Amino acid sequence: MRALVYKSTGSWYTVKNQAGHTYNARIKGIFKIDEITSTNPIAVGDEVEMELENEIENTTIITEILPRKNYVNRQSPRHKQQQHIIAANLDQSVLFATLKEPRTSQGFIDRFLVACEMYHVPAAIVFNKADLHRKKEEHRYEELKQMYEAIGYKTFLVSVEKQTGIEEVNKLLKDKISLLSGHSGVGKSSFINIIYPELTLKTQDVSGWSGKGLHTTTFAEMYDLPAGGKIIDTPGMREFGLVNLSKQELSHYFPEMRKRIHDCQFNNCLHINEPGCAIKKALENEEINVDRYISYCNILDSIEERKY
Ligand SMILES: Nc1nc2c(ncn2[C@@H]2O[C@H](COP(=O)(O)OP(=O)(O)O)[C@@H](O)[C@H]2O)c(=O)[nH]1
Ligand SMILES: [Mg+2]
Ligand SMILES: [Zn+2]
């Protein structure tokens, strides 16, 4: 029987078959997939084959995982060499960000975008809490919108509180499988609650906001949207890390750099201070945004080349 994984809680998975019936599924023995060392062999969004185990208790045994179209992962916080798959088979990834309460840094957004490029998942950015924007944030949003749209990422301005900008995001999500991510406290669950009120997800009380926030969602979970499409709500991504990324390939994941790297004089150019660098030239000509270039340099610095 074919099914789709909606939730993973460690050893048990909530899955739904094509008839829309929900089961509690588990795996027997050890699963090795695609040579990936993962702490969770099956992720939300995976398509699986399973056999009925106990009809009365509604339990099944997963026997096979179908090939993944793509997946998004992060480093396991406990075992640095291991990966933790967040979700699989995504049509797109939507980052929820806020300029205030809490402030999402541009560095965080850019790391997220690099990860999406690595895994071939189209990305969009939703800036929530527009109702908190004053002149400063309004101006910053316009800057960010221009910067990201120029390199192909859609941006949306939303206030879940005032219910503005919601329709545009709804259109984006329709009939797609979308991963929602972003720091804890940016309003992901609140957003889902507006577009899908029957669900009533727990949101976080930010009275006495300390800028940190508690994790209210502990496991990624997928929901069917009433208007068509599915969304995956994820826990706050504080440990979001770029796994298995080499310094040499980083610029391939910046679209504005990717299209220029073949014009660099040296094919192993890291675009720092090599002669004849097409990226540095584009930067001087203001064809590449300096803040994006700074993000590139910061990520480059943070990559520790694996020593064998
Ligand atoms: N001012 C304002 N607060 C919001 C908005 N959206 C959500 N919040 C509040 O932000 C807090 C965190 O929201 P939550 O949905 O739990 O965030 P999550 O951690 O991303 O799921 C809650 O107190 C929400 O009421 C918004 O558009 N404006
Ligand atoms: Mg939440
Ligand atoms: Zn270069």
Side-chain angles (χ1 to χ4, degrees):
M1 175 168 41
R2 185 71 62 85
L4 195 56
V5 178
Y6 276 66
K7 190 178 183 178
S8 142
T9 53
S11 43
W12 284 96
Y13 302 92
T14 305
V15 304
K16 205 190 265 191
N17 71 0
Q18 282 153 326
H21 193 85
T22 299
Y23 297 89
N24 289 317
R26 62 195 176 95
I27 46 178
K28 239 185 187 162
I30 295 167
F31 250 87
K32 204 173 180 241
I33 304 153
D34 298 351
E35 313 288 307
I36 307 170
T37 317
S38 168
T39 50
N40 60 330
I42 299 177
V44 170
D46 263 329
E47 270 193 281
V48 297
E49 275 298 336
M50 61 186 194
E51 283 162 10
L52 203 57
E53 185 189 32
N54 185 322
E55 201 152 1
I56 297 151
E57 293 186 354
N58 233 3
T59 57
T60 58
I61 303 280
I62 293 171
T63 54
E64 189 188 342
I65 304 170
L66 279 86
R68 289 180 176 135
K69 174 168 98 176
N70 57 30
Y71 61 88
V72 170
N73 64 8
R74 64 176 170 187
Q75 218 157 42
S76 159
R78 268 177 296 169
H79 310 279
K80 289 281 179 252
Q81 290 313 321
Q82 281 195 326
Q83 305 177 23
H84 182 88
I85 298 172
I86 298 165
N89 299 321
L90 304 165
D91 290 314
Q92 60 187 0
S93 178
V94 180
L95 180 69
F96 271 64
T98 44
L99 298 180
K100 243 179 146 171
E101 297 180 30
R103 194 183 72 88
T104 306
S105 70
Q106 195 203 318
F108 180 82
I109 298 174
D110 289 333
R111 291 184 80 87
F112 169 85
L113 295 174
V114 167
C116 294
E117 294 289 337
M118 280 177 71
Y119 298 114
H120 308 288
V121 181
I125 315 164
V126 171
F127 289 90
N128 185 31
K129 309 203 184 182
D131 56 289
L132 301 177
H133 289 189
R134 301 293 169 262
K135 278 267 137 39
K136 190 177 107 193
E137 291 82 18
E138 280 170 16
H139 178 72
R140 180 68 183 140
Y141 172 72
E142 285 307 322
E143 270 181 0
L144 289 168
K145 181 186 174 67
Q146 271 189 21
M147 180 176 86
Y148 287 123
E149 293 197 340
I151 52 175
Y153 300 113
K154 286 192 191 123
T155 66
F156 299 86
L157 184 62
V158 162
S159 167
V160 170
E161 175 97 2
K162 294 278 185 277
Q163 305 221 0
T164 57
I166 309 288
E167 250 334 286
E168 286 77 3
V169 182
N170 267 340
K171 268 190 218 149
L172 177 78
L173 301 178
K174 191 159 167 31
D175 300 332
K176 300 253 169 66
I177 298 186
S178 309
L179 175 77
L180 303 192
S181 43
H183 285 306
S184 195
V186 295
K188 298 179 294 297
S189 301
S190 310
F191 174 79
I192 296 171
N193 284 340
I194 309 191
I195 63 168
Y196 192 175
E198 292 81 4
L199 206 62
T200 54
L201 289 188
K202 248 191 260 161
T203 57
Q204 188 174 285
D205 182 11
V206 285
S207 54
W209 181 258
S210 65
K212 260 203 162 167
L214 299 160
H215 288 223
T216 35
T217 318
T218 20
F219 294 103
E221 183 159 8
M222 183 157 73
Y223 305 98
D224 292 320
L225 294 175
K230 300 178 198 311
I231 44 172
I232 301 172
D233 188 20
T234 54
M237 304 249 283
R238 268 188 295 182
E239 303 106 298
F240 191 83
L242 299 170
V243 211
N244 294 340
L245 173 65
S246 73
K247 285 183 191 272
Q248 202 57 65
E249 65 185 322
L250 178 61
S251 56
H252 292 76
Y253 304 125
F254 279 74
E256 69 272 51
M257 295 192 184
R258 180 166 57 217
K259 63 178 193 188
R260 292 181 165 95
I261 43 188
H262 301 291
D263 299 328
C264 290
Q265 189 178 328
F266 298 104
N267 64 11
N268 61 351
C269 189
L270 289 177
H271 327 297
I272 300 299
N273 44 31
E274 294 91 340
C277 173
I279 304 301
K280 291 301 284 279
K281 187 154 176 263
L283 192 65
E284 277 161 30
N285 296 340
E286 296 180 18
E287 290 157 11
I288 286 181
N289 186 290
V290 65
D291 291 331
R292 284 277 293 172
Y293 180 73
I294 291 170
S295 280
Y296 168 79
C297 294
N298 288 337
I299 300 172
L300 195 71
D301 270 349
S302 73
I303 297 173
E304 281 176 42
E305 297 284 16
R306 244 201 259 185
K307 293 178 190 74
Y308 291 94

